[in-house]
């Protein structure tokens, strides 16, 4: 348990130390007017308090990624927590900060426009397509996972209300799963479909209405559920660990012989594991919570509401650090709740990571507490899915030059967008997740290269973005070459290809990107 609290402490320290360094490298200008005032339209551009923006930003970026990803990543052992901590501080939070601040400096511009400005028009075209695919996948993925959890909650509540005479939370859930229980004549699959429809309807409303009408008002309630979930699961882990009757031993997934977590056992996590090698799969499996390109599609939404540049570190860097803490909590659940990695894998295979979420929440917090914890998990994908479709609408509006003050103009984009999303939702979840993880990190790669180009052009210390960009480029290149959704090449060859792609990108970067000669950024008129 001390390892968990040590990782959390390092994340907090990263915010105060490395976050401050990043802020100094960027050079904020508190006197500069932000788009919230200069472009206020009462729909997407409007000033909001930094605390509310931070909460909305956290809920926007923290979908199922910082929960499902760390649970899957726990199959690799405690090394997964290292990636969460180091990735969050030196890559993810840096990525989010520069995306947010560059958007503020450029009139609330979306990430594709930023990429086009600093990397060139061909990159803008590429990332426009990539970001739209990612947003669509996120919207669809973040319908399926909460609908499944809400369907399970509904069935268990009906069972608990008298349909099934079992008092123990875990026995009740198992009894419901084994029964032919129905709700108003609907089986579980139909109940999940109804929840899917309800969530889609909410997404439509949240996508069309001004940001302060729905999102700005109900997110504080969602935030309370998120806080309960995070604190509740930590409490459950601690009390389970201290239990005299049946204590949970952390990291028992690799110390079944009772010898504890030795250095030799820890290094075993880095060894190739059949067709799921740690390089590059760990760095795609755990994205949200460490480094996520989806954040680049969401962050400009809040950049349009920030009142002052000095709020950027708290809003953008701080929200990412908080998401890292959530990821650590669920990684610990994956490491501690099951007897061994095979038991964790069996649970995931039986019902996706959502089964791990549901079963562990009921075990640690009982039926009522467990349900509230699961609801805290449910709000994360819902609050990311609604803004995913919103961001897609705004990005398409930029591409086609459609103003968004008029509801009719918003409907022109929203209706075909949701129709397409509904069609894609029929694809198998596991297939969607594989494409989502790759598209996610590809988007992060482009954003980091964009931030590096900005720093390099203005003669600032670009290495804080360049090095993470090189790293994730190698990861994405290796994955695309090796994975079945890519070219399916030999693993060793794929690793060489990944490094070769990175070297080519580095050469192009320093060859094609030219620094401005003593140019004053504040005097530069943006478009």
């Amino acid at each position: 348990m001390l390892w968990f609290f040590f990782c959390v402490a390092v994340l907090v320290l990263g915010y105060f130390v490395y976050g401050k360094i990043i802020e100094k490298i960027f050079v904020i200008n508190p006197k500069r007017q932000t788009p919230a005032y200069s472009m206020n339209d009462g729909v997407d551009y409007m000033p909001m308090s930094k605390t509310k923006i931070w909460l909305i930003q956290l809920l926007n970026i923290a979908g199922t990624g910082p929960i499902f990803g760390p649970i899957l990543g726990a199959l690799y052992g405690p090394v997964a927590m290292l990636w969460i901590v180091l990735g969050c501080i030196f890559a993810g939070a840096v990525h989010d900060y520069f995306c947010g601040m560059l958007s503020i400096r450029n009139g609330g511009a979306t990430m594709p426009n930023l990429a086009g400005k600093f990397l060139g028009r061909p990159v803008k075209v590429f990332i426009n397509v990539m970001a739209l695919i990612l947003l669509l996948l996120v919207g669809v993925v973040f319908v399926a996972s909460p609908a499944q959890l809400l369907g399970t909650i509904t069935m268990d509540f009906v069972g608990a209300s008298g349909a099934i005479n079992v008092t123990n939370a875990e026995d009740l859930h198992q009894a419901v799963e084994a029964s032919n229980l129905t709700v108003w004549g609907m089986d579980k699959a139909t109940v999940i479909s109804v929840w899917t429809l309800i969530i889609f309807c909410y997404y439509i409303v949240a996508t069309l209405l001004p940001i302060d009408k729905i999102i700005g008002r109900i997110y504080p309630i969602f935030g309370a559920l998120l806080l309960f979930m995070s604190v509740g699961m930590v409490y459950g882990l601690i009390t389970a660990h201290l239990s005299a009757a049946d204590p949970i031993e952390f990291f028992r997934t690799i110390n079944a012989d009772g010898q504890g977590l030795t250095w030799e056992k820890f290094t075993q996590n880095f060894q190739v594991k059949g067709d799921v090698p740690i390089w590059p799969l760990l760095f795609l499996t755990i994205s949200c919570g460490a480094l996520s390109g989806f954040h680049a599609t969401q962050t400009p939404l809040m950049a349009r509401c920030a009142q002052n540049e000095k709020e950027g570190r708290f809003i953008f860097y701080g929200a990412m650090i908080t998401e890292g803490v959530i990821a650590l909590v669920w990684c610990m659940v994956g490491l501690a709740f099951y007897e061994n990695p095979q038991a964790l894998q069996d649970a995931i295979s039986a019902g996706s990571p959502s089964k791990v979420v549901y079963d562990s929440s009921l075990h640690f917090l009982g039926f009522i507490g467990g349900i509230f914890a699961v609801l805290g998990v449910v709000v994360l994908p819902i609050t990311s899915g609604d803004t995913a479709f919103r961001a897609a609408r705004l990005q398409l509006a930029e591409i086609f030059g459609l103003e968004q003050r008029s509801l009719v103009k918003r409907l022109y984009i929203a209706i075909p967008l949701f129709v397409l999303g509904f069609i894609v939702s029929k694809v198998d979840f596991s297939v969607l997740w594989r494409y989502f993880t790759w598209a996610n990190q590809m988007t992060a790669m482009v954003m980091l290269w964009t931030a590096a180009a900005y720093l390099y052009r203005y003669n600032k210390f670009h290495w804080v973005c360049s090095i993470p960009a090189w790293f994730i480029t190698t990861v994405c290149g290796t994955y695309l070459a090796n994975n079945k959704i890519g070219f399916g090449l030999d693993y060793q060859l794929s690793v060489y290809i990944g490094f070769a792609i990175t070297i080519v990108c580095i050469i192009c970067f320093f060859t094609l990107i030219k620094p401005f000669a003593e140019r004053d950024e504040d005097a530069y008129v943006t478009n």
Side-chain angles (χ1 to χ4, degrees), residues 363-394:
H363 177 86
F364 289 137
L365 301 175
F367 185 69
I368 299 300
I371 292 300
F372 274 104
V374 173
L375 288 174
V377 173
V378 166
V379 302
L380 291 178
I382 289 178
T383 54
S384 295
D386 58 4
T387 50
F389 281 113
R390 187 182 192 88
R393 171 177 66 80
L394 292 171

Side-chain angles (χ1 to χ4, degrees), residues 250-403:
F250 294 104
F251 308 132
R252 64 185 178 186
T253 53
I254 63 167
N255 67 350
D257 56 5
Q259 295 180 6
L261 181 62
T262 64
W263 177 252
E264 180 182 0
K265 291 178 180 296
F266 184 80
T267 55
Q268 289 175 5
N269 291 279
F270 293 93
Q271 297 175 5
V272 174
K273 296 175 175 62
D275 61 346
V276 286
I278 193 169
W279 179 275
L281 292 182
L282 174 63
F283 310 101
L284 287 117
T285 302
I286 302 179
S287 52
C288 298
L291 171 64
S292 171
F294 171 63
H295 299 185
T297 66
Q298 301 299 290
T299 299
L301 298 179
M302 293 300 96
R304 297 169 181 182
C305 301
Q307 299 181 75
N308 195 294
E309 286 191 3
K310 65 184 179 182
E311 300 172 351
R313 181 163 65 100
F314 174 73
I315 295 170
F316 306 122
Y317 201 99
M320 183 62 209
I321 292 295
T322 307
E323 188 186 50
V325 174
I326 295 171
L328 286 175
V329 171
W330 287 100
C331 190
M332 287 299 295
V333 170
L335 288 168
F337 185 61
Y338 296 94
E339 292 291 336
N340 51 60
Q342 187 57 52
L344 173 60
Q345 181 63 69
D346 291 343
I348 293 170
S349 300
S352 82
S354 64
K355 177 175 174 55
V356 178
V357 170
Y358 199 85
D359 291 350
S360 61
S361 298
L362 293 185
H363 177 86
F364 289 137
L365 301 175
F367 185 69
I368 299 300
I371 292 300
F372 274 104
V374 173
L375 288 174
V377 173
V378 166
V379 302
L380 291 178
I382 289 178
T383 54
S384 295
D386 58 4
T387 50
F389 281 113
R390 187 182 192 88
R393 171 177 66 80
L394 292 171
Q395 189 173 324
L396 287 168
E398 277 191 351
I399 293 173
F400 295 110
L402 289 174
E403 59 85 15

Side-chain angles (χ1 to χ4, degrees), residues 49-215:
S49 71
K50 71 174 184 178
T51 303
K52 180 177 284 189
I53 296 175
W54 172 85
L55 177 60
I56 296 174
Q57 171 74 1
L58 174 61
L59 290 170
N60 284 356
I61 65 176
T64 52
I67 299 172
F68 284 15
I71 288 173
L72 292 166
L75 292 167
Y76 290 98
V79 69
M81 299 181 74
L82 276 182
W83 165 234
I84 292 172
V85 173
L86 298 178
C88 187
I89 294 172
F90 297 106
V94 173
H95 168 282
D96 290 11
Y97 179 81
F98 276 98
C99 182
M101 297 307 294
L102 286 176
S103 182
I104 289 175
R105 286 280 172 94
N106 290 272
T110 59
M111 194 272 279
N113 276 350
L114 295 174
K117 177 177 178 179
F118 294 108
L119 292 176
R121 184 171 179 80
V123 177
K124 178 181 178 179
V125 173
F126 167 77
I127 201 58
N128 256 321
V129 175
M130 181 61 67
L132 285 171
I133 292 173
L134 175 60
L135 287 168
L136 185 64
L137 288 173
V138 166
V140 172
V141 167
F142 290 177
V143 168
S145 52
Q148 186 175 19
L149 286 169
L150 287 170
T152 303
I153 290 174
T154 302
M155 302 303 289
D156 282 2
F157 257 117
V158 172
S161 66
I164 296 177
N165 187 23
V166 178
T167 56
N168 180 274
E170 293 169 88
D171 290 344
L172 170 66
H173 177 56
Q174 292 176 6
V176 170
E177 290 291 299
S179 71
N180 294 319
L181 185 67
T182 61
V183 178
W184 294 336
M186 298 183 294
D187 60 11
K188 185 177 179 179
T190 307
V191 171
I192 291 174
S193 297
V194 171
W195 276 115
T196 300
L197 179 62
I198 292 172
I199 294 171
F200 256 120
C201 290
Y202 163 73
Y203 284 178
I204 293 172
V205 174
T207 299
L208 293 174
L209 290 181
I211 196 167
D212 64 332
K213 300 302 181 184
I214 295 288
I215 293 174

